[in-house]
């Protein structure tokens, strides 16, 4: 039994697939048994508060806004951010939403709750976000890799190899978590929901699937611009599947990387396990207040306008890169706010990782323009990952690449 779970919220789920999944067999026994820490603010948020050993004289920060009450621990309601994100993602109750210090906290917490150190494993699909493996190493969890399909594969580049994932899960019962990144980092490629469903439905798999959607708002807004319809986000699967967790962040599309606020969406028993295990007051008042402004109508309007501008700038950047001698293909389907592009060698036009490294260093160290060298990643030979900037920043990047590759 999951302590504290909201049974009424559980009943709001449309389904609890797959039938063979039992969450209590996945939660680490010590996590299942722990009695969660109860914060003072869980009980009362208003009145004369002499319960939490706070400084009753107020904050020492000179410019602290009075209404934020920074001398008090955060109110668990966090300016309604949890409720606002739940509504935004189309889920029926805040019990489906977890908030953390960036999505990295959620990634780490998921591993700590559902994978036993020294015994269990995670499955990742490189090239992918590196923190899944870093967190696994910190938590003494094994790592199994099933690579994405590579450029040139008839199934498409950077897609899930579903049959191989299913076979790997069937062969290794120690795998408790599958981490999928959509849109991928560094690939920028959105994963089809049918492929995610296929992994979730794997009959022999008793664990959970985590879909990391840090960049999903770029894909959603692009869909809206094209006036297309249909679910893109794996949050739509939370309505049905008891073994899926979707992580997101306000760092990218919402432009709040500095406040470190991430989210996870899942059916209430999973969210309750995370809530029971997290540190008290893990999200700060300042972070929550900034998020509440971003989620207000004016903030949402600004976010969508900015995302549309970045999508337009991304297309302009891709077109400009195609005109630079020495630059190769832009890989992936470009569903995020960056592009993954090849640097070629001079003689025969093949991807050149050594040249990519040299260009990357020269850009940063001699010209103060920093991109990311991803040429050591599987399937990314010779590749630089370029974040989409302002129109002027993109122009400077193109001019610099043209200059350096002409030398």
């Amino acid at each position: 039994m999951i302590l504290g779970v909201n049974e009424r919220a559980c009943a709001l789920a449309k389904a609890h697939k797959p039938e063979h999944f039992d969450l209590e067999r996945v939660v680490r026994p010590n996590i299942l048994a722990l009695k969660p820490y109860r914060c003072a603010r869980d009980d009362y948020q208003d009145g004369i508060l002499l319960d939490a050993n706070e400084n009753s004289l107020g904050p020492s920060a000179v410019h602290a806004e009075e209404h934020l009450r920074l001398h008090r621990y955060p109110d668990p309601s966090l300016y309604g951010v949890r409720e606002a994100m739940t509504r935004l993602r189309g889920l029926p109750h805040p019990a489906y939403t977890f908030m953390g210090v960036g999505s990295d906290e959620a990634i780490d917490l998921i591993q700590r709750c559902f994978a036993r150190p020294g015994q269990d494993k995670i499955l990742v699909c490189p090239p992918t976000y590196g923190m899944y493996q870093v967190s696994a190493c910190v938590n003494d969890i094994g790592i199994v890799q099933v690579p994405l399909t590579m450029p040139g594969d008839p199934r498409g580049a950077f897609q899930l190899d579903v049959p191989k994932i299913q076979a790997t899960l069937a062969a290794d019962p120690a795998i408790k978590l599958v981490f999928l990144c959509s849109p991928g980092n560094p690939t920028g490629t959105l994963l089809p929901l049918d492929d995610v469903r296929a992994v979730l439905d794997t009959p022999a798999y008793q664990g959970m699937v985590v879909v990391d959607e840090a960049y999903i708002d770029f894909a959603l807004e692009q869909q809206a611009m094209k006036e297309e319809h249909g679910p893109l986000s794996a949050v739509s699967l939370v309505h049905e599947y008891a073994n899926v967790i979707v992580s997101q962040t306000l760092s990218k599309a919402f432009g709040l990387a500095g406040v470190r606020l991430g989210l996870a969406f899942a059916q209430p028993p999973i969210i309750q396990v995370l809530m029971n295990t997290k540190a008290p007051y893990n999200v700060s008042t300042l972070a929550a207040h900034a998020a509440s402004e971003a989620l207000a109508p004016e903030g949402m309007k600004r976010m969508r306008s900015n995302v549309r501008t970045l999508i337009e700038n991304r297309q302009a950047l891709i077109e400009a890169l195609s005109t630079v001698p020495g630059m190769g293909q832009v890989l992936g389907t470009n569903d995020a706010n960056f592009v993954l592009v090849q640097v070629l060698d001079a003689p025969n036009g093949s991807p050149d990782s050594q040249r990519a490294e040299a260009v990357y260093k020269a850009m940063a160290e001699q010209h103060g323009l920093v991109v990311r060298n991803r040429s050591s990643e599987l399937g990314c030979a010779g590749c630089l990952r370029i974040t989409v900037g302002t129109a002027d920043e993109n122009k400077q990047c193109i001019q610099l690449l043209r200059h350096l590759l002409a030398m």
Side-chain angles (χ1 to χ4, degrees), residues 89-233:
R89 297 316 188 200
L91 292 169
H93 193 283
Y96 289 72
T97 303
F98 170 84
M99 291 170 56
V101 184
S103 56
D104 289 334
E105 182 185 29
I107 290 166
D108 177 69
L109 197 57
I110 288 164
Q111 294 192 17
R112 286 195 284 128
C113 288
F114 303 117
R116 296 167 297 175
Q119 298 181 57
D120 293 333
K121 303 173 184 177
I122 67 168
L123 184 149
V124 298
C125 299
T128 193
Y129 182 44
M131 278 304 297
Y132 313 142
Q133 297 185 68
V134 170
S135 183
C137 290
V138 170
N139 289 300
D140 192 22
I141 299 167
I143 301 164
V144 176
Q145 298 188 2
V146 177
L148 297 173
T149 59
M150 294 292 104
D153 191 295
R155 294 170 291 183
F158 303 134
Q159 298 297 322
L160 297 180
D161 190 337
V162 174
K164 190 168 183 180
I165 291 173
Q166 292 178 321
T168 303
L169 294 176
D172 192 345
I175 299 172
K176 294 297 172 63
L177 295 164
V178 175
F179 282 88
L180 308 177
C181 194
S182 179
N185 179 10
T187 68
T189 298
L190 190 72
L191 300 177
L193 289 187
D194 284 347
D195 287 354
V196 179
R197 281 181 181 273
V199 178
L200 287 165
D201 284 326
T202 303
Y205 182 48
Q206 301 294 324
M208 291 188 290
V209 176
V210 183
V211 186
D212 181 355
E213 293 189 338
Y215 303 93
I216 192 65
D217 287 290
F218 295 96
L220 292 172
E221 198 60 35
Q222 182 168 267
Q223 181 188 48
M225 291 169 69
K226 294 178 179 179
E227 298 184 352
E228 297 174 348
H229 302 282
L232 293 181
S233 169

Side-chain angles (χ1 to χ4, degrees), residues 246-386:
V246 182
S247 66
Q248 294 184 0
T249 180
L250 298 189
S251 295
K252 311 301 181 184
F254 286 88
L256 293 179
V259 309
R260 308 300 299 128
L261 205 155
L263 304 113
F265 304 97
Q267 292 196 2
I270 291 175
I271 296 300
Q272 192 61 49
V273 170
L274 299 179
M275 296 292 286
N276 290 351
T277 313
K278 74 174 183 65
Y281 310 116
N282 61 325
V283 176
S284 75
T285 296
L286 289 170
H289 183 257
S292 72
E293 292 189 341
L295 292 168
E298 186 60 32
M300 290 296 300
K301 181 179 178 182
R302 186 182 303 114
M303 180 275 281
R304 290 192 167 118
S305 174
N306 288 344
V307 167
R308 289 187 175 221
T309 297
L310 288 171
I311 290 171
E312 292 167 358
N313 289 356
R314 182 184 67 200
Q315 183 57 36
L317 177 62
I318 291 170
E319 292 172 2
L321 285 166
S322 69
T323 70
V324 179
M327 298 301 295
Q329 283 185 293
V330 173
L331 303 181
T333 56
N334 301 295
D335 298 308
N337 68 331
F338 56 84
V339 297
L340 184 70
V341 61
Q342 296 171 329
V343 175
L344 307 178
D345 64 9
N348 54 27
S350 300
D352 188 336
S353 296
Q354 188 173 356
R355 194 180 191 196
E357 170 76 5
V359 169
Y360 156 72
K361 284 192 171 182
M363 291 177 76
E365 296 173 6
Q366 299 172 27
H367 301 276
L369 198 156
V370 185
V371 297
R372 198 78 184 267
N373 180 16
R374 299 282 78 176
S375 59
S376 63
E377 300 273 348
L378 182 66
C380 301
C383 283
L384 300 178
R385 193 193 70 194
I386 304 175

